[in-house]
Amino acid sequence: MASVNPFNLSDSEEEAERRPNETVDTERSPSDGAPGPPPSNPFSPSADAEPPTLLLAGSRTSPSGEGISPSAAATSAMAGGAETRLSVDAIAAQLLRDQYILTALEFHTELLEAGRELPRLRDYFSNPGNFERQSGTPPAKEQVLGPGGPLNRAGSISTLDSLDFARYSDDGNRESDDRVAESEVPSQERKNFKSSPEIEEPIRPLEKRALNFLVNEYLLKNEYKLSSITFSDENDDQDFELWDDVGLNIPKPPDLLQLYRNCGTPLPSPRNMTDASVGVDFSDLPGNCITQDTPRKPDLSQQQQTEVVQELEYQIGLLNNEKQSLAEQIKKLQCEIQTLKRTVSSPTPATLELSSQNTSNPSSSTTTTTSSTDPLHVPPTDNGQYLDIRGVSEPQTDADRPSTQSTLQSHSQSHNKLKNRPPVQFDKPNRKLSPVFQQALLSFCRMCSDSRLGAEVSRIADSEESVMLMLGRCLPHIVPNVLLAKREELIPLILCTACLHPEPKERDQLLHILFNLIKRPDDEQRQMILTGCVAFAKHVGPTRVEAELLPQCWEQINHKYPERRLLVAESCGALAPYLPKEIRSSLVLSMLQQMLTEDKADMVREAVVKSLGIIMGYIDDPDKYSQGFELMLLSLGDPSERVVSAVHQVFIPAFAAWTTELGTLQTALIPSLLARIEKLLRQGEHSLDEHKLHMFLSALQSLIPPLFAVVLQNAPFTSRAKLHGNIPAIEVTRFPRPASPLQDVATIIGSREMLSALLLLYDYQLEHEGTTGWDSLLWVVNQLLPQLIEIVGRINVTSSTCVHEFSRFFWRFCRTFGKIFTNTKVKPQFQEILRLSEENVDASAGNGILTKATVPIYATGVLTCYNQEEDRKLLVGFLEDVMTTLSLSHAPLDSLKASFVELGANPVYHELLLTVLWYGVVHTSALVRCTAARMFELLVKGVNETLVAQRVVPALITLSSDPEISVRISTIPAFGTIMETVTQKELLERVKMQLASFLEDPQYQDQHSLHMEIIRTFGRVGPNTEPRFRDEFVLPHLHKLALANNSQAVENKRIDIATQLFEAYSALSCCFISEEVMVNHFLPGLRCLRTDMEQLSPEHEVILSSMIKECEIKVENRGMADAQGSMSIASSLVGEDAKTKFLSKMGQLTTSGAMLANVFQRKK
């Protein structure tokens, strides 16, 4: 709300009613009560009489309190006669101007009680801006020392409680109740109530939010950051960055320190202060500053008084000159009025013609309003309440006066447009009312234009520019009062105004409102804001986008809410096409790089990566390649999966497209990644960083589609590709499913039709014409593939992760480049390396390459690309040859196991793998049959029980009756795995019978290796197998084996069995064991084992003794509490005493670390 101008003196309606005998004159001056000059000469010498501001100057009270009060002086002046009588409004203006605030408040209260509310006092006391003190220093010379400026407030009103915050809240009922209650309490009692420390009103919610905001602001300014964070957490329902979040429609008050300085010590009254303008050149003061009654000391010397009088006379002269210039302007405007009169068909009263002119001519309104702020101006008698009837706009302040001439010039064009419009016609009644009476009659239509909103309502925009100016003024007041959930509805209005507004400062404010429109915008709201930003950018061009939109992004780059930072990240990408290219590759790139490295929110970094991808699609500075490559590596190493996914979906395809244009995809980007993989393998021969390997290899995998597109676009046949004619559609399974549309080869090429035409020529070229002159494909065949195969041979074959990553890479590589390329270019290179020929079978040292990761990667990454019959036969033959070669060469089986594990993960290949194993089952060599038996253990876990019953168990039973004892022993782990994973009782019984035959058949009594394998298998599968099988079969046979080991004569065999038994009992100790089995088998077995360890390994004997002791205690306790049911023996065996003794002896043990790791391992 604009502050009230106390110099606009006019009578109230009640004062006019008290003078019925006086002549009503629209040009009468209410400031002195004398008739005004005629309209033709509004600035006659009679208007130069001393203004009423000097009339009351001598009636102010002295500092000692002597003399009459201003109200008494005003009363006596009013009683002095009609000629010297002042209006009520003049008295109010004089009190406000001299800053007798409390007296004015008393006067306002008395008028309210009498039912004569004065608009000037009502608006003044309802505007909190009149009571805010901006600083403790005297006003500068360019400030207006009026009620609208800084006030030296009295101590009784200088506290925060004088601001009625609830008045401006959304609680309308409270506002009315507080007003009524305040009007009913006498002012002196109300003052005492406010200042009394004993009486304290309960804090209101809005007051609490306001104080919270000020306290948090104080903590931040004074480096109490931890306290501020704690305070914010305790008030999480409030946003301490936005004053509008408090809920008060008032400007932000001064900070807490300023309030304390103003409120802690009562400020001196203006009556006790010297003139604020002492020592200042009066010629520099604005014109209306001297209209304020200058406060001065009571003991001024005669010389000082003379100087003040002279200066006042000089200022009067300046005002007279200004009056003459204004009179000339009025004459010009009157000439325009006469011109407009001629264009109207029927004559209208003079007053209404003036209204029409003021409404249609903004320059006239401006001039009239400017002159109305001067105390020498003769105002109308309608008390300024019905300016909209005459089209008078909002009063201008003195700060606007220097721009009056420019305002006249800026509105001349719209005035010329209006001249070409046909005038608005209204039906005139056939009456003979005087214009004055007609105006007075219309004054009873109560309208309000003395507020900011009233002025906006009464001023109808007459051009597009006026509409923009109006929206720029109103939107900052509208936005805080709109619900947060509906603020996106304001986005079109804000954007249109920001696009078309002529003032850069106002545009900046509107865009700031746009980015701060919603505290935590959700996805839909952010999309709406981004859509608006793009529309704004398209409309205004790159220069204004850089100057106006980018600063808004930069301001919120470190905002505390991730949704706001997310909006910034998304805006950088959305605005990339509309920015100057220098800014795109420098400032925006730096902003995104900073957010990528510093932001802690995953969703923000994800949006940053996507925006970086968009930037890479528009950047054209080759020097930024290295920065883009580092950004790719940085984002690939992000700990968040969603960020890494965004890298593969957006950033890498866009970066690859740029490197393709630069010609560095094959010469720089892919070789750089391969070099990093090789360096990683050299540094990590013993401990490879699998995460980094996955990072680089996944980046290579994402580069396969753009690499294939380069091969097609640089082929000899590219120029022959034609789109007309019958072009067959591309098979759905021709390419692997892309991670995003940007990785689709058709998208990279341009269309599926063009890709289809190129693929036909590609296959024909490979099959019939070869690769001569095809440099891009020759690079893939002669440089890329050999380097990849060499890298594959250097990775650890036991690392299932590395094998899986490379297998997937080669699978996508071969599927992308096609079947002909795979068969003619890829497979021959692998086969040349592996050399699966008969002469290598008998080599005693084995074929070294067959033990490396090349075997599983070739089998699972290349041979599985196509699933036709000939492809399956080739895979089966390769696996059979590898199994045979490794078995006969006594080579490690790790490469074959890795192949079975990788293929066994896909149920499609279960039948194929069983075919390979059956080949081994019926092989003539016992070594091959042993290998087949051990491979069944890997295959059983992933195969369904039907295949286990029909294919696996018959094969194992066949091998269990093999003439070679080594083959029979090799089946034991597979039988144990079946016991661990299968639930069919028939299968379990068959396996149980086979294992029982191994244990109970006399021919196996002296088979040390068989007993070792059975104990190892029991320890591995015992905790996970069926409890009944464990209690009835595993533990009793372990007891028998432990008892038999006591009588073993060969010490080496005895220690081997004892060690395996110790590990088996350690694993089984974590299981639920019934009391009967524990007493009959578990404890006796432990005692037998302790007997062996006493002689062979005293370190183990200590642990076994502790386990036995606590186990016995638990058995006794369980017997005393049978109602509790069976209990876990785990806690009894691993008590604190046992663990203490175990740890004390741990350093003395000589057994292997693998055995110690299982001592207290809980297997479920």
Side-chain angles (χ1 to χ4, degrees):
M1 178 182 294
S3 60
V4 179
N5 193 339
F7 306 114
N8 187 8
L9 307 179
S10 59
D11 286 341
S12 63
E13 295 87 348
E14 294 81 10
E15 194 66 25
E17 291 171 3
R18 291 188 178 186
R19 294 177 293 171
N21 297 328
E22 295 178 357
T23 304
V24 179
D25 189 355
T26 57
E27 298 296 325
R28 182 187 182 106
S29 173
S31 61
D32 56 4
S40 61
N41 189 8
F43 291 98
S44 63
S46 64
D48 293 334
E50 185 177 0
T53 55
L54 300 178
L55 178 64
L56 294 179
S59 62
R60 291 176 297 172
T61 58
S62 65
S64 62
E66 298 177 357
I68 61 175
S69 65
S71 59
T75 305
S76 63
M78 292 169 60
E83 293 181 358
T84 60
R85 183 177 183 180
L86 292 177
S87 67
V88 177
D89 192 70
I91 296 172
Q94 184 71 26
L95 292 175
L96 293 177
R97 181 167 55 254
D98 291 342
Q99 298 202 18
Y100 292 109
I101 306 299
L102 291 179
T103 306
L105 181 61
E106 294 279 1
F107 190 35
H108 178 50
T109 305
E110 292 173 358
L111 289 176
L112 284 176
E113 293 173 352
R116 301 169 58 200
E117 183 181 29
L118 194 61
R120 180 186 304 280
L121 293 176
R122 177 197 67 203
D123 293 333
Y124 181 83
F125 287 111
S126 64
N127 183 8
N130 294 326
F131 304 100
E132 293 183 7
R133 179 177 178 84
Q134 300 300 327
S135 65
T137 59
K141 66 180 182 178
E142 68 271 10
Q143 289 180 316
V144 180
L145 301 177
L151 294 179
N152 292 323
R153 301 181 300 177
S156 62
I157 65 167
S158 62
T159 55
L160 189 59
D161 57 5
S162 65
L163 297 181
D164 188 4
F165 288 152
R167 174 186 181 92
Y168 300 94
S169 69
D170 295 331
D171 191 354
N173 296 331
R174 176 183 294 176
E175 176 186 349
S176 60
D177 295 344
D178 291 345
R179 285 186 178 181
V180 174
E182 184 176 341
S183 65
E184 293 175 354
V185 180
S187 60
Q188 187 62 34
E189 294 181 9
R190 185 163 57 253
K191 181 171 69 175
N192 294 338
F193 177 78
K194 292 286 187 181
S195 60
S196 175
E198 294 81 10
I199 304 175
E200 182 178 355
E201 294 184 23
I203 189 169
R204 300 171 181 172
L206 290 172
E207 291 174 339
K208 180 179 179 181
R209 292 175 68 88
L211 290 173
N212 286 347
F213 183 90
L214 295 175
V215 169
N216 184 74
E217 182 184 45
Y218 166 78
L219 293 174
L220 287 176
K221 285 184 178 179
N222 292 274
E223 300 298 328
Y224 297 110
K225 294 184 178 179
L226 293 178
S227 301
S228 173
I229 293 172
T230 305
F231 189 70
S232 300
D233 292 339
E234 293 176 346
N235 298 275
D236 56 355
D237 60 335
Q238 186 171 351
D239 183 1
F240 288 109
E241 293 193 3
L242 295 175
W243 167 253
D244 293 340
D245 187 67
V246 173
L248 300 174
N249 299 330
I250 62 171
K252 187 178 84 65
D255 59 24
L256 207 57
L257 179 62
Q258 193 65 43
L259 290 173
Y260 170 77
R261 288 174 176 170
N262 291 346
C263 305
T265 303
L267 297 173
S269 171
R271 292 167 293 186
N272 299 330
M273 296 176 63
T274 59
D275 189 359
S277 60
V278 169
V280 179
D281 188 358
F282 280 91
S283 62
D284 295 335
L285 289 173
N288 71 336
C289 286
I290 202 64
T291 61
Q292 306 263 0
D293 199 13
T294 308
R296 53 188 178 270
K297 293 183 178 180
D299 56 347
L300 290 175
S301 64
Q302 185 66 29
Q303 182 179 0
Q304 290 174 325
Q305 292 179 357
T306 304
E307 291 177 354
V308 170
V309 170
Q310 292 176 353
E311 192 61 43
L312 289 174
E313 290 175 351
Y314 172 71
Q315 293 293 334
I316 291 173
L318 292 178
L319 293 174
N320 286 333
N321 293 334
E322 183 179 0
K323 181 185 69 175
Q324 295 299 329
S325 64
L326 294 175
E328 294 177 1
Q329 292 183 16
I330 290 176
K331 289 180 180 179
K332 293 180 181 179
L333 296 174
Q334 287 176 343
C335 293
E336 294 185 7
I337 292 174
Q338 298 299 327
T339 303
L340 289 176
K341 280 183 180 180
R342 300 187 187 98
T343 63
V344 179
S345 58
S346 60
T348 58
T351 305
L352 296 180
E353 287 172 357
L354 179 60
S355 172
S356 175
Q357 170 62 20
N358 288 337
T359 302
S360 61
N361 193 340
S363 63
S364 173
S365 301
T366 305
T367 307
T368 306
T369 305
T370 305
S371 64
S372 68
T373 60
D374 198 314
L376 300 178
H377 173 67
V378 183
T381 60
D382 62 352
N383 199 19
Q385 297 185 49
Y386 310 112
L387 298 177
D388 45 1
I389 295 179
R390 297 181 305 279
V392 180
S393 60
E394 183 181 2
Q396 281 185 306
T397 61
D398 289 325
D400 296 332
R401 287 190 177 189
S403 62
T404 302
Q405 189 64 31
S406 61
T407 305
L408 290 170
Q409 295 174 358
S410 64
H411 286 291
S412 60
Q413 295 180 354
S414 60
H415 175 69
N416 293 333
K417 291 180 181 179
L418 287 178
K419 284 184 178 180
N420 299 326
R421 291 183 186 173
V424 180
Q425 301 279 342
F426 296 100
D427 292 337
K428 301 300 178 182
N430 189 16
R431 301 292 299 277
K432 296 181 180 180
L433 297 176
S434 69
V436 177
F437 184 86
Q438 197 174 34
Q439 182 67 34
L441 182 63
L442 291 176
S443 68
F444 285 94
C445 301
R446 297 190 60 84
M447 289 172 280
C448 178
S449 62
D450 54 357
S451 64
R452 178 195 62 80
L453 185 59
E456 295 291 352
V457 172
S458 63
R459 185 183 348 178
I460 302 300
D462 53 14
S463 67
E464 294 84 353
E465 184 178 0
S466 301
V467 174
M468 290 301 107
L469 294 173
M470 181 270 293
L471 289 174
R473 293 189 301 268
C474 293
L475 278 174
H477 300 277
I478 295 172
V479 171
N481 298 291
V482 179
L483 292 175
L484 287 174
K486 296 296 182 182
R487 285 190 180 179
E488 63 266 20
E489 300 291 340
L490 293 171
I491 294 176
L493 208 57
I494 295 173
L495 283 169
C496 290
T497 309
C499 282
L500 303 176
H501 202 284
E503 295 295 330
K505 185 177 179 181
E506 293 295 328
R507 296 199 300 266
D508 181 74
Q509 181 184 9
L510 290 168
L511 292 175
H512 181 76
I513 291 174
L514 175 67
F515 275 81
N516 294 273
L517 191 62
I518 303 167
K519 183 164 64 174
R520 306 183 77 162
D522 56 24
D523 288 341
E524 185 176 352
Q525 291 166 336
R526 286 197 310 273
Q527 291 174 14
M528 202 62 61
I529 295 175
L530 288 178
T531 305
C533 289
V534 171
F536 178 89
K538 290 180 179 178
H539 185 82
V540 302
T543 303
R544 279 183 60 183
V545 174
E546 174 191 353
E548 298 176 13
L549 271 183
L550 273 188
Q552 303 299 333
C553 296
W554 184 260
E555 285 180 5
Q556 305 207 21
I557 195 172
N558 292 315
H559 199 279
K560 71 174 184 177
Y561 290 132
E563 292 85 356
R564 300 281 279 276
R565 304 196 302 272
L566 182 59
L567 178 62
V568 173
E570 293 173 340
S571 299
C572 291
L575 296 175
Y578 312 102
L579 288 167
K581 61 180 182 179
E582 299 83 5
I583 297 300
R584 188 189 300 142
S585 58
S586 57
L587 176 60
V588 179
L589 197 62
S590 300
M591 288 173 58
L592 292 172
Q593 184 172 5
Q594 176 183 341
M595 296 183 74
L596 181 63
T597 54
E598 297 179 0
D599 207 291
K600 294 181 173 59
D602 294 351
M603 61 179 181
V604 176
R605 298 199 305 276
E606 179 188 13
V608 167
V609 167
K610 292 180 179 179
S611 294
L612 280 172
I614 298 174
I615 294 291
M616 291 301 147
Y618 285 90
I619 200 169
D620 55 2
D621 184 3
D623 296 336
K624 295 296 180 180
Y625 166 80
S626 58
Q627 185 178 0
F629 184 75
E630 294 301 325
L631 285 173
M632 181 187 73
L633 296 182
L634 178 64
S635 53
L636 281 171
D638 195 278
S640 172
E641 291 185 4
R642 59 191 298 178
V643 176
V644 176
S645 177
V647 177
H648 293 294
Q649 292 177 4
V650 183
F651 185 89
I652 291 181
F655 188 58
W658 183 35
T659 57
T660 299
E661 296 177 18
L662 295 176
T664 57
L665 177 65
Q666 295 176 311
T667 60
L669 181 55
I670 295 178
S672 298
L673 291 173
L674 290 173
R676 279 168 169 76
I677 293 176
E678 290 179 335
K679 181 180 179 181
L680 198 64
L681 292 173
R682 285 195 303 268
Q683 294 175 348
E685 292 181 356
H686 300 290
S687 58
L688 179 64
D689 190 343
E690 295 184 356
H691 175 70
K692 283 190 175 180
L693 180 63
H694 166 72
M695 183 177 78
F696 297 140
L697 195 58
S698 62
L700 271 179
Q701 183 172 308
S702 295
L703 291 174
I704 293 174
L707 176 61
F708 183 64
V710 168
V711 170
L712 290 180
Q713 291 169 338
N714 293 277
F717 53 78
T718 304
S719 59
R720 305 198 307 265
K722 298 178 181 179
L723 295 180
H724 58 79
N726 295 327
I727 300 177
I730 303 174
E731 295 182 4
V732 178
T733 59
R734 170 61 180 84
F735 293 100
R737 179 177 299 176
S740 75
L742 296 177
Q743 288 192 7
D744 190 349
V745 181
T747 303
I748 301 173
I749 294 295
S751 67
R752 298 196 69 83
E753 292 77 12
M754 176 59 73
L755 176 60
S756 179
L758 289 174
L759 286 176
L760 289 175
L761 296 173
Y762 169 79
D763 291 339
Y764 182 83
Q765 181 84 17
L766 284 177
E767 193 170 4
H768 298 95
E769 298 182 6
T771 59
T772 304
W774 198 347
D775 294 337
S776 57
L777 186 65
L778 287 174
W779 179 86
V780 175
V781 175
N782 298 330
Q783 297 186 40
L784 179 61
L785 267 177
Q787 192 172 0
L788 286 172
I789 294 174
E790 182 185 358
I791 290 174
V792 162
R794 294 164 57 185
I795 67 173
N796 188 1
V797 69
T798 60
S799 173
S800 59
T801 302
C802 294
V803 171
H804 176 71
E805 292 292 335
F806 273 97
S807 296
R808 189 170 62 173
F809 171 82
F810 271 98
W811 187 88
R812 297 186 73 90
F813 179 83
C814 294
R815 286 301 298 262
T816 302
F817 277 81
K819 187 172 184 178
I820 298 176
F821 179 86
T822 303
N823 291 335
T824 60
K825 306 298 179 184
V826 180
K827 289 180 180 180
Q829 293 198 31
F830 271 99
Q831 291 168 358
E832 177 65 24
I833 293 293
L834 294 173
R835 295 193 304 275
L836 291 173
S837 56
E838 291 296 332
E839 55 267 19
N840 291 328
V841 173
D842 297 329
S844 59
N847 192 347
I849 194 66
L850 293 181
T851 62
K852 299 183 180 298
T854 311
V855 169
I857 291 173
Y858 175 60
T860 61
V862 178
L863 298 181
T864 60
C865 287
Y866 301 96
N867 202 24
Q868 297 179 1
E869 187 62 29
E870 59 272 15
D871 302 308
R872 296 175 67 88
K873 288 181 179 180
L874 185 60
L875 177 59
V876 169
F878 174 74
L879 292 176
E880 290 174 353
D881 292 342
V882 170
M883 182 171 62
T884 303
T885 305
L886 292 178
S887 301
L888 297 179
S889 302
H890 298 278
L893 302 176
D894 293 333
S895 60
L896 185 63
K897 290 180 179 179
S899 302
F900 270 75
V901 170
E902 187 71 18
L903 291 172
N906 190 349
V908 174
Y909 298 107
H910 286 173
E911 285 280 359
L912 184 145
L913 293 177
L914 288 172
T915 302
V916 174
L917 290 182
W918 186 253
Y919 167 82
V921 170
V922 299
H923 199 276
T924 56
S925 172
L927 295 174
V928 178
R929 296 199 298 273
C930 285
T931 301
R934 295 195 177 277
M935 291 299 107
F936 274 113
E937 178 188 357
L938 301 175
L939 193 59
V940 166
K941 291 185 178 180
V943 177
N944 61 70
E945 294 189 3
T946 303
L947 280 178
V948 172
Q950 295 177 357
R951 302 284 300 274
V952 177
V953 172
L956 287 175
I957 291 178
T958 301
L959 292 174
S960 65
S961 59
D962 194 90
E964 292 291 335
I965 187 65
S966 59
V967 177
R968 284 176 267 173
I969 294 174
S970 299
T971 61
I972 293 175
F975 281 124
T977 304
I978 293 175
M979 295 297 300
E980 187 180 18
T981 58
V982 174
T983 58
Q984 292 184 17
K985 291 184 178 181
E986 297 81 0
L987 283 178
L988 293 177
E989 287 298 327
R990 293 177 65 183
V991 173
K992 182 178 177 182
M993 290 174 59
Q994 187 60 48
L995 290 175
S997 68
F998 286 144
L999 289 168
E1000 298 171 0
D1001 195 330
Q1003 62 175 331
Y1004 300 119
Q1005 287 182 359
D1006 297 330
Q1007 292 295 329
H1008 176 73
S1009 58
L1010 184 142
H1011 292 161
M1012 288 282 293
E1013 193 66 52
I1014 286 180
I1015 296 172
R1016 187 183 298 113
T1017 301
F1018 282 175
R1020 176 173 58 86
V1021 305
N1024 303 319
T1025 192
E1026 187 183 12
R1028 181 185 172 190
F1029 174 74
R1030 181 175 59 243
D1031 293 343
E1032 296 180 0
F1033 187 81
V1034 175
L1035 290 176
H1037 282 92
L1038 283 178
H1039 178 204
K1040 291 179 182 180
L1041 290 170
L1043 183 61
N1045 199 49
N1046 291 150
S1047 58
Q1048 176 61 252
V1050 182
E1051 185 173 348
N1052 290 337
K1053 292 183 178 180
R1054 186 179 180 187
I1055 188 62
D1056 290 343
I1057 295 293
T1059 302
Q1060 290 296 331
L1061 284 172
F1062 182 83
E1063 294 190 6
Y1065 274 111
S1066 299
L1068 292 169
S1069 64
C1070 300
C1071 302
F1072 291 93
I1073 303 173
S1074 65
E1075 182 179 357
E1076 180 182 358
V1077 175
M1078 185 179 296
V1079 172
N1080 295 332
H1081 299 293
F1082 194 80
L1083 277 173
L1086 283 176
R1087 294 189 182 101
C1088 294
L1089 182 58
R1090 182 177 62 177
T1091 302
D1092 289 334
M1093 290 302 181
E1094 286 176 353
Q1095 303 175 12
L1096 303 174
S1097 178
E1099 297 88 353
H1100 291 82
E1101 187 271 334
V1102 174
I1103 299 174
L1104 287 170
S1105 298
S1106 178
M1107 292 171 64
I1108 292 171
K1109 182 179 179 180
E1110 293 194 13
C1111 185
E1112 290 172 346
I1113 293 174
K1114 293 301 179 181
V1115 170
E1116 293 178 1
N1117 293 337
R1118 189 182 299 176
M1120 298 171 60
D1122 291 335
Q1124 298 181 1
S1126 61
M1127 299 173 58
S1128 174
I1129 196 63
S1131 59
S1132 65
L1133 296 181
V1134 195
E1136 291 299 326
D1137 188 26
K1139 285 192 287 186
T1140 303
K1141 293 180 180 179
F1142 171 71
L1143 293 175
S1144 65
K1145 296 289 183 179
M1146 192 171 180
Q1148 306 173 10
L1149 294 178
T1150 58
T1151 53
S1152 65
M1155 180 200 69
L1156 293 177
N1158 293 325
V1159 173
F1160 293 107
Q1161 182 180 2
R1162 295 176 178 266
K1163 296 185 178 180
K1164 298 294 180 184

